[in-house]
Amino acid sequence: MTRPPVIHVAAIRKTYGRLVAVDEVSFDVQLGEIFGLIGPNGAGKTTTMECVEGLRMPDRGAISVLGLDPTRHAYALQERIGVQLQEAQLQKRIKVREAVALWASLYRRPVDGDRLIEQLGLRDKRNAWFMTLSGGQKQRLFIALALINDPELVFLDELTTGLDPQARRAIWDLVRGIRQRGKTVFLTTHLMEEAERLCDRVAIIDHGRIIDIGTPAELVRRHCPERSVMLVTEDSTASDRFRAIPKVQSVTSQGLQLTIRGREDDLVTHVIQCLAEHRIRVTDFRTELPTLEDVFLTLTGHTIRD
Amino acid sequence: MLRGLWRLTWLEIKIFVREPLGVIGTVGIPVLIYVGLGRLVSPRAGRVSPDLPRFVSVDLPIFTSLLIAASAVLSLVAIIAIYREGGILRRLRATPLRPHTILTAHVMVKLLFTATTLALMVLAGRRSYPMPANVPLASFTLALLFSTVSILSLGFLIASVVPTARFAQPIGTLILYPMLGLSGLFVPVGSLPPVLQVVARALPLTYAVSLLRGIWGGEGWAAHVGDIVVLTLMFFAFVAVSTKVFRWE
């Protein structure tokens, strides 16, 4: 039994004058998953997300969110979704708890605002004015506002920008908690680590086009199947032993350091078994497994930071 | 559907009061100027000079009140433009909040402070501007609030479309001050060149002046039903159009 996707995007296109921000973008987001749209800044992530949220209208293509048209049924949709925008502002002198209370009053079934403030670590700032908050605190407030109506679908645009590593991990836990309660999350990020740790599936976008879609593991296997093991040994027979391992592609040496490359998932295991079997002594042992960053580089020819 | 209106209004009032400059500028300064002018014009407290020009004794209160209404409109336009430019409207857009709810909340805040300013002016200026005995103050206040609401709806419309705060002041000024000039306060509408007469009859201030003058002069509401009808129609028309053309960013 296949359930209809929570978000269905079909060939949307958005141009601003001569700039093509989003070009033939299509993807689906399934119920209960954390789906990430990943790519560098300016790739079209925010434009795509805002089209899906109903804040912008694509020039072409079709979008369906929870079965609704985000442009025509905007208000009905707003009841059921939570939105955290990338660049957002509030009145300068509004207090944190006032903002949360205002948002809560706009929806039919809001959650406990105070508890949400607590969960996001803003309890000490309940009565602080918006303009006195740090970047990270503002970000957390906006996340609270996105969750106040207990939405079925949450949109998070670059949600850990400006957060220190500790706050970042806390937010990741929060997002996983949302998924655990059966909600669906659609997020954008340019941080590969975030995508790898958080997302069930990702779509890679660059210059307005979707390059590939899949789980992080699938994408790595598909585009960067190569992995390496680096070790330092004085044993001169080691290289030949490693070359004998099935499916090893190359063994190169630089002084006493050997680099073993292969495409197989079990490469690391086989190397370790080989070390044990032949009692090869090593003084350093490292593995290099490709990440989504390597996938991006392979697919686009440039790093995500360029 | 105006969900969130009362909470937003109350919130905007609190936020406005938190900025001391705002309150001083909106309430304090007009009251001070009014009272100061009064001291200059009639230095002897309590007595209205019999040969005081009609403008001062009758039209000045009307002129002043309309000026306050005009400044309320300008600040309404300005604050919406600031919210728009600052991305606050954008954040509010991704909620069930409707544009007319936001505009109405700000209108109510402006009305409240306008009424407060006027009340303070009347109280503080009692000695310099003694009320002629037979002025129906309650009716006049009502007529004034009614006119302000109608004029503010024009502000609604301007606020819906002005893109940035920088344009808010010039556009508002460009529209409001000629409107004051054509409204019949200084020159009777009938004496204006025909083209300008047409323009004057399309502006809410003209009917507000007629209504306010009439009530102040004791003519009663019945004599000004036409003004009331036009002002009401204009209100609904401006509000309807502004909701359609509202720019979130």
Side-chain angles (χ1 to χ4, degrees), chain A residues 15-304:
Chain A
T15 56
Y16 293 104
R18 282 207 305 194
L19 170 68
V20 181
V22 174
D23 192 6
E24 297 292 313
V25 161
S26 304
F27 59 88
D28 286 341
V29 176
Q30 305 296 337
L31 180 69
E33 73 173 347
I34 301 178
F35 185 88
L37 189 58
I38 62 180
N41 292 324
K45 305 192 296 289
T46 301
T47 308
T48 303
M49 179 168 258
E50 291 187 352
C51 285
V52 179
E53 289 162 347
L55 296 182
R56 292 188 214 222
M57 243 185 77
D59 303 325
R60 272 212 301 263
I63 303 177
S64 150
V65 181
L66 294 170
L68 300 168
D69 179 331
T71 322
R72 289 208 338 256
H73 309 130
Y75 292 116
L77 193 57
Q78 295 301 339
E79 274 290 335
R80 299 165 68 183
I81 65 176
V83 173
Q84 180 261 330
L85 299 173
Q86 185 178 22
E87 272 163 23
Q89 290 295 329
L90 288 179
Q91 294 91 321
K92 294 203 292 207
R93 293 184 169 81
I94 194 172
K95 293 185 185 171
V96 166
R97 61 173 174 80
E98 285 173 341
V100 174
L102 173 64
W103 251 251
S105 74
L106 298 174
Y107 297 97
R108 269 182 226 128
R109 280 191 317 245
V111 299
D112 184 348
D114 285 329
R115 196 155 160 268
L116 204 49
I117 289 176
E118 182 125 15
Q119 274 180 309
L120 282 151
L122 289 170
R123 189 158 61 116
D124 294 336
K125 291 283 178 181
R126 276 184 81 239
N127 285 312
W129 290 350
F130 178 75
M131 65 188 205
T132 66
L133 300 178
S134 71
Q137 288 164 340
K138 284 183 184 171
Q139 193 75 319
R140 281 184 269 155
L141 172 58
F142 285 125
I143 294 172
L145 297 180
L147 298 176
I148 190 71
N149 60 327
D150 199 23
E152 302 166 52
L153 168 61
V154 183
F155 291 84
L156 304 168
D157 197 352
E158 299 282 3
L159 93 154
T160 58
T161 308
L163 297 184
D164 58 80
Q166 201 182 353
R168 187 166 280 165
R169 292 200 197 306
I171 301 293
W172 287 347
D173 285 336
L174 193 79
V175 175
R176 285 191 206 102
I178 298 173
R179 192 242 328 249
Q180 232 159 338
R181 295 208 321 271
K183 322 284 184 193
T184 311
V185 176
F186 176 31
L187 61 87
T188 72
T189 183
H190 64 276
L191 303 169
M192 289 305 168
E193 194 200 351
E194 187 163 80
E196 274 168 356
R197 281 177 187 267
L198 218 45
C199 299
D200 298 316
R201 286 193 312 137
V202 300
I204 301 181
I205 186 170
D206 189 33
H207 291 111
R209 292 178 156 263
I210 300 275
I211 315 284
D212 201 358
I213 305 178
T215 72
E218 277 170 7
L219 291 174
V220 166
R221 215 174 299 137
R222 205 179 294 159
H223 301 286
C224 289
E226 222 180 56
R227 32 205 79 208
S228 332
V229 176
M230 265 97 65
L231 44 84
V232 174
T233 179
E234 289 182 344
D235 191 332
S236 51
T237 65
S239 324
D240 295 323
R241 303 267 186 236
F242 296 136
R243 277 196 195 97
I245 298 175
K247 299 211 190 141
V248 159
Q249 274 188 321
S250 71
V251 179
T252 55
S253 64
Q254 199 176 356
L256 290 176
Q257 184 182 2
L258 293 178
T259 305
I260 306 151
R261 290 192 183 85
R263 284 181 168 242
E264 216 206 350
D265 285 348
D266 289 330
L267 176 73
V268 179
T269 313
H270 286 155
V271 169
I272 293 175
Q273 281 172 344
C274 184
L275 289 176
E277 200 180 304
H278 300 284
R279 293 193 219 284
I280 302 172
R281 245 183 110 241
V282 295
T283 47
D284 193 11
F285 186 94
R286 274 190 296 128
T287 61
E288 224 174 65
L289 304 170
T291 62
L292 282 178
E293 192 127 20
D294 300 309
V295 171
F296 189 84
L297 179 58
T298 306
L299 288 173
T300 63
H302 62 95
T303 69
I304 204 158

Side-chain angles (χ1 to χ4, degrees), chain B residues 12-227:
Chain B
E12 290 290 349
I13 291 173
K14 283 199 281 188
I15 290 173
F16 182 74
V17 171
R18 281 173 194 158
E19 194 181 4
L21 281 179
V23 180
I24 292 174
T26 312
V27 179
I29 291 185
V31 173
L32 283 172
I33 292 179
Y34 186 69
V35 173
L37 271 177
R39 290 283 148 88
L40 283 174
V41 169
S42 55
R44 296 166 313 167
R47 225 93 64 82
V48 180
S49 163
D51 45 35
L52 217 53
R54 181 175 179 275
F55 179 75
V56 175
S57 63
V58 178
D59 279 344
L60 183 57
I62 298 177
F63 178 61
T64 317
S65 352
L66 287 175
L67 207 57
I68 293 178
S71 80
V73 173
L74 279 179
S75 58
L76 171 72
V77 173
I79 196 156
I80 296 285
I82 289 171
Y83 274 28
R84 178 177 291 123
E85 202 174 329
I88 295 171
L89 287 189
R90 208 162 152 272
R91 173 60 260 200
L92 290 171
R93 187 179 187 188
T95 65
L97 212 49
R98 307 280 215 275
H100 53 254
T101 308
I102 300 173
L103 288 170
T104 308
H106 282 277
V107 164
M108 297 212 308
V109 175
K110 289 283 160 266
L111 272 182
L112 176 68
F113 283 101
T114 306
T116 310
T117 310
L118 285 172
L120 284 175
M121 277 170 59
V122 168
L123 282 173
R126 261 190 333 273
R127 290 164 134 235
S128 315
Y129 306 95
M131 287 291 141
N134 52 351
V135 165
L137 206 56
S139 290
F140 182 76
T141 312
L142 201 60
L144 184 60
L145 283 177
F146 181 77
S147 308
T148 308
V149 168
S150 193
I151 297 165
L152 278 174
S153 69
L154 181 58
F156 245 57
L157 185 55
I158 305 172
S160 295
V161 297
V162 165
T164 64
R166 214 174 311 141
F167 286 118
Q169 281 279 66
I171 289 181
T173 316
L174 212 63
I175 296 181
L176 280 169
Y177 290 117
M179 204 164 53
L180 272 171
L182 291 175
S183 63
L185 264 180
F186 305 103
V187 177
V189 178
S191 315
L192 291 171
V195 176
L196 288 181
Q197 275 192 41
V198 174
V199 176
R201 292 198 200 287
L203 298 170
L205 258 184
T206 315
Y207 301 93
V209 167
S210 163
L211 175 67
L212 289 172
R213 267 210 187 116
I215 299 286
W216 182 273
E219 285 171 26
W221 294 93
H224 289 271
V225 170
D227 293 330

